Amino acid sequence: MSIHPHRRRVVVTQRFFDQATCDFLTAHHCEPVVAEPPPGKGDGDLSEAVLRELLADAEGWIVGHAHVTDSLLLALPRLKVVARRGVGYERVDVEAVHRRGKVATIAIGGNDACVADHALALMLAVSHRLREGQIRLDAGDWSIPMGTDLYRKTVGIVGLGRIGRGVVQRLRGFEADVLVCTPTPDEAYCRANGVRQVDIDTLLRESDVVSLHAPLTPETRFMVDASAIEKMKPSAIVINTARGGLVNDRDLLAALEAGRLQGAGLDVFVSESDPAYHGVSRALIALPQVVATPHAGASTREGLDRTNLIAARSVVDVLDGATPPAACVIADGRTVSHSSKKGET
């Protein structure tokens, strides 16, 4: 296909960007450039200097976990839109996006189902001690590690967004007693779905499984720490498929090593954003009662295809002068006057 005279360069700094979404961008007068990070790395590991070089001529950027900083945006005057292939945006400087007159979006609705599936997978894997059984078999030991049911257990859901509600839906098949704790109560939803809305202390005290689905904010950071764990049953399981900073991994490690909890299923770690916790992450991953995955909850073929396309549609909307769906927009600085931007450094 010949290059359109008004073709806009869109740089993708994530792996697993499918051809159908590239074709969508091409059909909408964009030139997709997939700049995959090195093996074993994500775009969050790329330096700002490397990102500046990759994005020098880009009008759109489809990003994973890279830090979107004010200094980076200032160095990229052609860039109009930053589209996260995901829903968390704690690494995006929202104020800087506004200040620099750009747009930032998230891919709402693309990975809800696969992350909810992943949370259930971790619940089952930890409660049935699948990893411990595998370790024993690898050592030639056919003794059976005694597991516990998820069936008719009490499961506490912290956060009742799309993923939290997906977990609630999946737990119906297990006849679980579901507790939810959310800052925005929804009594009608709870009545319709047979779940109990409780405060966090009640949830921690009564739950056999505590599954985290809250955003990471200053208020939620380390919400599961030593004091929270002290309120939980010694037989309880912690599941975190949301954000690493929700759990103080150092306190979780101490509790697991002391037998204060049954186990944990972890897809996210504090060390993803704080290198000082790398040793803690390695120690957690080494424990037989921990089932760990590398922030992979959203990484199914179908889920990534959905989030790729949602991000690409947001990019096209902005480059066409339109507005993406409201739920996807986290910052829109296009109303900032040219004069006010020009005077800033």
Side-chain angles (χ1 to χ4, degrees):
M1 179 181 292
S2 61
I3 299 297
H4 189 279
H6 299 105
R7 195 160 293 275
R8 293 80 58 97
R9 192 167 189 254
V10 176
V11 174
V12 181
T13 55
Q14 275 285 68
R15 290 190 182 82
F16 312 117
F17 200 75
D18 60 293
Q19 187 59 49
T21 305
C22 284
D23 293 343
F24 170 84
L25 287 168
T26 301
H28 287 81
H29 314 307
C30 294
E31 179 190 357
V33 178
V34 180
E36 289 191 1
K41 301 288 186 180
D43 58 4
D45 299 306
L46 301 178
S47 69
E48 186 164 306
V50 170
L51 289 172
R52 288 184 183 187
E53 183 177 353
L54 289 173
L55 298 164
D57 298 319
E59 294 186 52
W61 178 18
I62 297 178
V63 61
H65 297 284
H67 289 272
V68 181
T69 64
D70 184 60
S71 58
L72 179 60
L73 294 175
L74 179 61
L76 301 169
R78 289 178 57 85
L79 187 67
K80 295 181 175 64
V81 54
V82 178
R84 266 229 67 226
R85 190 185 72 179
V87 294
Y89 55 92
E90 65 273 6
R91 296 189 180 192
V92 178
D93 187 334
V94 173
E95 291 183 2
V97 173
H98 276 291
R99 186 164 55 250
R100 301 301 172 191
K102 308 191 190 287
V103 180
T105 66
I106 54 177
I108 282 288
N111 59 19
D112 306 346
C114 43
V115 178
D117 285 353
H118 201 85
L120 264 292
L122 290 175
M123 291 180 198
L124 289 166
V126 177
S127 61
H128 284 264
R129 299 174 68 180
L130 299 187
R131 181 165 185 252
E132 293 175 75
Q134 180 76 53
I135 290 171
R136 292 187 189 190
L137 287 173
D138 284 344
D141 178 359
W142 284 69
S143 61
I144 297 172
M146 189 65 67
T148 57
D149 284 346
L150 182 58
Y151 175 62
R152 291 189 173 176
K153 287 296 191 294
T154 299
V155 181
I157 307 295
V158 181
L160 198 57
R162 289 176 173 84
I163 296 171
R165 293 181 185 218
V167 174
V168 170
Q169 181 182 14
R170 286 155 176 76
L171 286 169
R172 289 175 184 161
F174 293 88
E175 300 181 23
D177 180 16
V178 179
L179 312 180
V180 299
C181 179
T182 174
T184 53
D186 190 338
E187 294 179 3
Y189 172 86
C190 291
R191 285 195 303 270
N193 290 275
V195 303
R196 289 190 288 147
Q197 195 162 274
V198 297
D199 58 68
I200 188 63
D201 287 347
T202 300
L203 185 145
L204 293 171
R205 186 174 60 251
E206 295 187 11
S207 296
D208 299 299
V209 178
V210 174
S211 191
L212 304 177
H213 303 283
L216 179 60
T217 66
E219 293 73 31
T220 61
R221 181 170 174 80
F222 288 171
M223 66 185 302
V224 176
D225 58 6
S227 63
I229 292 169
E230 190 63 31
K231 298 169 185 173
M232 297 171 66
K233 300 176 182 180
S235 58
I237 292 167
V238 172
I239 304 294
N240 190 5
T241 57
R243 287 292 180 265
L246 297 176
V247 178
N248 186 322
D249 287 351
R250 200 181 308 278
D251 292 351
L252 178 62
L253 175 63
L256 289 167
E257 289 180 331
R260 184 64 190 76
L261 292 171
Q262 179 182 338
L266 305 173
D267 187 44
V268 288
F269 298 86
V270 180
S271 61
E272 293 177 74
S273 58
D274 187 348
Y277 278 78
H278 280 165
V280 175
S281 293
R282 287 193 295 270
L284 279 169
I285 293 166
L287 292 177
Q289 68 270 43
V290 171
V291 177
T293 50
H295 204 145
S299 296
T300 65
R301 291 183 180 88
E302 298 85 353
L304 290 178
D305 288 353
R306 288 191 296 267
T307 50
N308 286 340
L309 187 56
I310 293 168
R313 284 175 171 164
S314 292
V315 167
V316 168
D317 282 343
V318 173
L319 296 185
D320 284 348
T323 300
C328 293
V329 178
I330 58 171
D332 190 342
R334 290 177 294 183
T335 58
V336 178
S337 69
H338 178 72
S339 59
S340 65
K341 289 188 290 182
K342 185 177 179 181
E344 294 192 10
T345 59

